[in-house]
């Protein structure tokens, strides 16, 4: 941004420290340049640029560099000891000198906590300052805004900062102070635009501005998601997603194929035609539609069974609740799950499965206490159910309770030794525990564990995928790439694997074209893969293609499966949109890939 702006603001500058660029949880892109105002030139460099010597007093002042009076002192070697800063003033002092003197007096009052008097002095400085002295005038407005801030007069703060920014469009302190005022006034959009400009000017190196950006993005995301999610049209996920979801259960009665006695004998031998169910049962028809992957009819057929109070009512309630969850309608799913859980005469595996699904729903809603309670109840009523321990282990990983997660995976494996998923996820839990402990020996043991799992279960795609993530962490990119290829061989229609492999190309070879090609392939396989759209949007932000990024984020928003996920996606989208507005207003763009 050119010359570093240092104002005469009497308040201390924000405490800055080097930190990652984490706008809206995007993957970091290291910004060029230093922190603060963007890496200004030293005085001797400025002298060379201007081709003339620079005075340490007035010359520095005009260029916005720190001078004695910027910190409440006086200019030059003939500084007065009078606390007002006005002793020794000559009758022929220039308007700018008089304005500076008034500002210095205001700084004294500010430091003494006399903010009303400080405001009067800064107002005097504004009225005395020649209008062509933009940088000086912007400093006076910004100082007055600082005094208004102490009095919590947020409208006045915003107004004065606006005047300061009009005079000096890249004035970091004024932009940041206005951002804080907009936050207090609940002007989230305006706050986000200002703090985005600050982050870009500072090279994404200042903790305070980054935290404010993160805070306002989350608030905006939650607000928008709450409204959108309430009025969204339910959307059935792709068949690939649904099959993957049900494959994570082994003791789920409703996902089992139709039993022999439930099919019509004359239809069992008709090749290429779906078997018709023997009974006039909405639930059995729903199960038949599941086998045909005709998922859109399952809720309506289950409802017929429930309304008729048929013999499969408990199963129908659980099946309908499951598909309500899959289309993102947790409010409709909960009463059905509650009813199944309360049916003491129902099959205990149905009740345990309902508890697992309600517990997972609570976790998605960020209610870990209720989630834990449901999983514990499921373990109490059906202690031999391997699914309970498998899914509770996943919950414990999310809660960073890794030792307890490993115990649950061990119990799942004891009950079902052929559970490749549980064994792979146990390895991943052990790896995370070792990795965060920064101890190389347990890390090596965990990596060896992955090798044993994929050797024992060579057809478990999840084992290769989790191993690939651990290998990527260890920067063993070539081997990670091989593991993703194994996944694709086993599950060629799993879009998520293509996204991970695409991200690996970016991290490993900085190969944008290959990475985007793989993510595009994921969308081709599954055009409802929100993770693919989100990832592509994040990459486009970092390439500087903000309009394309916004388009991708909006597609992901429409596919989001929970309000929490939607809020995160809105945060990403709002961050990209704010950058487009900042580019228009100030000509500022963040570093790009």
């Amino acid at each position: 941004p050119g010359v570093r702006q240092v104002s005469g603001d009497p308040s201390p500058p924000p405490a800055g420290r080097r930190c990652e660029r984490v706008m809206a949880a995007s993957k970091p892109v290291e910004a060029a340049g230093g922190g603060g105002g963007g890496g200004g030139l030293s005085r001797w460099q400025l002298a060379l640029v201007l081709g003339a010597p620079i005075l340490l007093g007035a010359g520095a002042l005009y260029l916005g560099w720190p001078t004695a009076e910027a910190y409440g002192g006086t200019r030059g070697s003939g500084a007065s000891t009078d606390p007002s800063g006005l002793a020794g003033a000559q009758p022929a002092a220039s308007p700018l000198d008089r304005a500076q003197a008034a500002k210095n007096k205001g700084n004294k009052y500010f430091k003494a906590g006399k903010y009303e008097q400080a405001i009067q002095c800064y107002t005097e400085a504004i009225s005395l300052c020649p209008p062509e002295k933009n940088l000086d005038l912007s400093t006076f407005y910004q100082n007055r805004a600082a005094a208004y801030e102490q009095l919590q007069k947020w409208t006045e703060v915003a107004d004065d900062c606006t005047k300061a920014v009009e005079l000096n469009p890249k004035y970091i302190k004024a932009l940041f102070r206005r951002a804080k005022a907009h936050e207090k006034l609940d002007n989230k959009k305006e706050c986000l635009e200002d703090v985005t400009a600050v982050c870009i000017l500072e090279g994404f190196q200042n903790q305070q501005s980054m935290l404010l950006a993160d805070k306002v993005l989350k608030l905006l995301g939650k607000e928008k998601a709450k409204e959108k999610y309430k009025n969204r049209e339910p959307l059935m996920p792709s068949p690939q997603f649904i099959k993957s979801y049900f494959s994570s259960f082994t003791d789920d009665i409703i996902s089992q194929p139709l039993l022999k006695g439930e099919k019509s004998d004359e239809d069992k031998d008709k090749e290429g035609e779906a078997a018709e169910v023997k009974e006039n049962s909405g639930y059995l028809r729903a199960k038949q539609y599941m086998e045909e992957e005709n998922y859109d009819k399952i809720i309506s057929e289950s409802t017929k069974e429930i309304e008729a109070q048929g013999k499969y009512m408990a199963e129908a309630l659980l099946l309908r609740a499951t598909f309500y969850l899959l289309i993102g309608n947790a409010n409709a799913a909960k009463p059905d799950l509650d009813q199944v859980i309360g049916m003491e005469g129902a099959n205990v595996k149905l009740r345990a499965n309902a508890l697992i699904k309600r517990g997972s729903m609570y976790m998605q809603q960020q209610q870990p206490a209720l989630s834990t309670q449901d999983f514990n109840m499921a373990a109490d009523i059906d202690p031999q159910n391997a699914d309970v321990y498998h899914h509770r282990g996943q919950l414990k990983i999310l809660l960073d309770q890794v030792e307890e997660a490993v115990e649950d995976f061990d119990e799942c494996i004891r009950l079902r030794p052929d559970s490749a998923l549980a064994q792979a996820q146990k390895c991943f839990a052990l790896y995370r525990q070792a990795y965060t402990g920064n101890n190389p020996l347990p890390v090596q043991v965990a990596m060896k564990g992955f090798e044993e799992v994929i050797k024992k279960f060579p057809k478990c795609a999840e084992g290769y995928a989790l191993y690939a993530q651990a290998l990527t962490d260890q920067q063993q990119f070539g081997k990670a790439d091989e593991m993703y290829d194994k996944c694709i061989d086993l599950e060629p229609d799993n879009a998520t694997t293509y996204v991970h492999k695409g991200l690996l190309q970016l991290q490993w070879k900085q190969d944008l074209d290959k990475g985007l090609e793989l993510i595009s392939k994921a969308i081709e396989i599954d055009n409802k893969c929100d993770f693919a759209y989100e990832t592509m949007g994040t990459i486009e932000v970092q390439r500087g293609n903000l309009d394309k990024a916004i388009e991708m984020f909006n597609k992901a928003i429409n596919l989001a499966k929970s309000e929490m996920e939607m809020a995160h996606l809105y945060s990403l989208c709002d961050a990209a949109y704010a950058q487009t507005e900042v580019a228009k207003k100030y000509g500022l763009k963040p570093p790009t890939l």
Side-chain angles (χ1 to χ4, degrees):
V3 177
R4 183 192 296 255
Q5 173 63 49
V6 179
S7 78
D9 180 2
S11 60
R17 70 173 180 82
R18 193 174 184 282
C19 63
E20 288 183 319
R21 174 185 174 189
V22 289
M23 282 291 283
S26 295
K27 293 289 180 186
V29 174
E30 207 61 44
L41 303 172
S42 68
R43 288 185 180 173
W44 68 264
Q45 287 172 312
L46 278 170
L48 290 173
V49 170
L50 297 174
I54 292 182
L55 299 175
L56 295 183
L61 168 71
Y62 297 138
L63 290 166
W65 286 89
T67 57
E69 68 267 31
Y71 300 98
T74 55
R75 290 165 36 200
S77 57
S80 167
T81 55
D82 182 70
S84 70
L86 297 175
Q90 298 300 315
S94 71
L96 181 59
D97 285 341
R98 289 157 57 205
Q100 289 289 346
K103 181 208 68 176
N104 292 340
K105 187 176 180 182
N107 286 357
K108 300 283 188 184
Y109 282 128
F110 186 99
K111 289 177 180 177
K114 298 178 178 179
Y115 303 116
E116 294 286 4
Q117 292 96 319
I119 288 167
Q120 290 175 12
C121 292
Y122 296 139
T123 303
E124 182 184 353
I126 290 165
S127 65
L128 290 169
C129 185
E132 68 273 12
K133 300 297 183 184
N134 287 7
L135 291 181
D136 300 284
L137 197 51
S138 69
T139 298
F140 303 152
Y141 276 115
Q142 206 284 141
N143 283 14
R144 190 169 72 178
Y148 279 131
E149 183 179 45
Q150 295 299 319
L151 299 174
Q152 299 186 21
K153 294 186 175 182
W154 305 114
T155 301
E156 288 84 350
V157 173
D159 289 346
D160 270 3
C161 286
T162 296
K163 291 185 177 80
V165 171
E166 286 170 356
L167 292 159
N168 181 3
K170 296 179 181 179
Y171 195 167
I172 291 176
K173 276 194 175 181
L175 284 163
F176 189 56
R177 183 158 277 124
R178 187 171 68 178
K180 292 187 290 180
H182 280 314
E183 182 196 11
K184 295 292 185 181
L185 294 166
D186 203 31
N187 300 330
K188 296 183 186 69
K189 179 176 176 291
E190 293 81 0
C191 173
L192 179 60
E193 287 180 16
D194 280 348
V195 78
T196 298
V198 171
C199 287
I200 294 171
L201 283 166
E202 293 175 329
F204 296 90
Q205 299 292 302
N206 188 303
Q207 180 82 353
Q208 261 187 299
S209 52
M210 295 289 287
L211 287 172
L212 179 56
D214 185 63
K215 179 182 178 183
V216 73
L217 280 167
K218 285 178 179 173
L219 289 170
L220 273 170
K222 284 181 181 177
E223 276 184 12
K224 291 184 177 181
K226 186 174 184 181
E227 188 62 28
K228 170 87 171 177
Y229 200 77
K230 186 171 59 178
N231 301 311
R232 73 195 281 268
E233 285 293 322
L235 182 69
M236 190 66 68
S238 67
Q240 295 94 326
F241 182 91
I242 293 170
K243 284 186 281 186
S244 176
Y245 173 81
F246 279 112
S247 73
S248 68
F249 296 94
T250 55
D251 279 328
D252 185 0
I253 292 170
I254 63 169
S255 64
Q256 302 304 317
L258 282 166
L259 300 174
K260 185 176 179 181
E262 295 169 342
K263 294 181 181 178
S264 169
D265 289 336
E266 64 186 69
D267 287 323
K268 278 185 287 183
D269 299 324
K270 289 183 182 178
E271 281 192 37
E273 294 183 26
E276 290 183 10
V277 296
K278 200 169 184 180
E279 300 179 42
N280 183 25
S281 162
Y283 170 69
L284 294 179
R285 280 195 299 274
K287 290 252 292 187
Q288 181 178 312
Y289 286 131
M290 270 189 77
E291 290 187 13
E292 298 169 5
E293 298 182 15
N294 191 353
Y295 300 119
D296 288 323
K297 294 186 177 180
I298 289 175
I299 289 175
S300 60
E301 290 299 332
S302 298
T303 300
K304 289 176 186 176
E305 181 80 19
I306 294 161
E307 289 175 347
Q309 296 191 343
K311 71 174 183 177
Y312 298 107
M313 185 172 171
E315 289 88 343
L317 282 164
L318 182 56
L319 183 58
R320 185 171 74 173
T322 301
F323 274 84
Y324 277 142
L325 289 173
L326 284 167
I327 65 173
N329 192 348
N331 289 336
K334 187 176 180 300
D336 285 355
L337 293 171
D338 291 347
Q339 194 170 342
V340 175
I341 291 162
M343 288 180 167
E344 294 191 4
N347 187 318
V348 72
K349 293 210 175 296
L350 288 174
R351 295 175 63 212
N353 188 268
L355 282 162
I356 292 169
K357 288 170 181 171
R358 192 175 70 177
S360 299
M361 179 193 76
Y362 282 139
M363 193 60 201
Q364 221 172 29
Q365 295 171 343
Q366 295 184 295
Q367 299 185 72
L370 289 175
S371 180
T372 301
Q373 185 177 303
D374 272 0
F375 278 106
N376 292 346
M377 183 176 172
D380 288 341
I381 67 168
D382 193 9
Q384 300 303 306
N385 189 328
D387 286 346
V388 174
Y389 304 102
H390 178 195
H391 287 269
R392 189 170 68 177
Q394 292 177 325
L395 166 72
K396 298 296 185 185
I397 287 178
L398 290 173
L399 295 174
D400 281 327
Q401 297 170 2
V402 182
E403 287 185 19
E404 292 179 35
V406 171
E407 289 175 10
D408 274 339
F409 290 135
D410 278 337
E411 182 63 13
C412 175
I413 293 162
R414 186 187 70 78
L415 292 167
R416 194 174 287 275
D418 61 346
S419 176
L421 271 177
Q423 300 213 25
Q425 287 170 348
K426 176 190 171 181
C427 280
F428 192 72
L430 288 169
Y431 168 74
R432 276 193 58 177
Q433 187 179 39
Y435 185 69
T436 52
N438 202 24
N439 188 333
L441 190 59
V443 168
Q444 290 169 11
V445 171
M447 299 300 271
K448 189 178 178 184
F450 278 120
E451 290 283 357
E452 291 170 359
V453 167
I454 61 176
K455 185 177 179 181
K456 187 176 180 181
F457 302 101
K459 293 188 177 178
C460 175
E462 184 82 357
Y464 294 107
L466 291 173
Y467 190 23
Q469 289 182 43
L471 287 164
T472 303
D473 277 345
Q474 296 298 307
Q475 298 190 354
Q476 296 182 39
F477 300 126
K479 194 167 183 180
D481 198 43
E482 290 174 18
M483 295 301 108
Y484 283 131
D485 284 339
K486 296 271 191 185
C487 287
I488 290 168
D489 288 342
L490 289 165
E491 294 183 350
D493 61 348
N494 189 327
T496 303
T497 306
Y498 285 91
V499 179
H500 282 297
K501 185 174 167 69
L503 286 169
L504 177 65
Q505 306 311 306
L506 297 177
Q507 189 174 350
W508 178 20
K509 298 178 178 176
Q510 291 76 52
D511 190 340
L512 272 174
D513 291 337
K514 183 65 175 174
L516 289 171
E517 178 190 323
L518 285 161
I519 296 166
S520 297
K521 176 71 174 174
I523 292 170
E524 183 185 319
I525 290 169
D526 180 3
N527 64 3
K528 293 180 179 178
C529 181
D530 52 332
F531 178 45
Y533 291 115
E534 175 190 346
T535 305
M536 189 169 279
T538 303
I539 292 169
E540 294 295 0
V541 166
Q542 297 184 19
R543 294 175 79 198
N545 300 332
L546 296 173
D547 290 337
K548 179 71 173 175
I550 291 166
E551 178 191 342
M552 292 296 105
F553 290 140
N554 279 322
K555 286 185 177 182
I557 285 165
N558 291 328
L559 295 166
K561 296 174 186 69
S562 70
E563 188 176 323
M564 185 174 73
E565 184 184 335
M566 190 178 280
H568 164 70
L569 290 164
Y570 265 121
S571 294
L572 294 176
C573 193
D574 286 338
Y577 180 75
Q579 290 182 48
T580 65
E581 293 300 295
V582 166
K584 289 175 194 172
K585 286 183 182 178
Y586 307 110
L588 294 173
K589 290 185 179 180
T592 57
L593 287 172

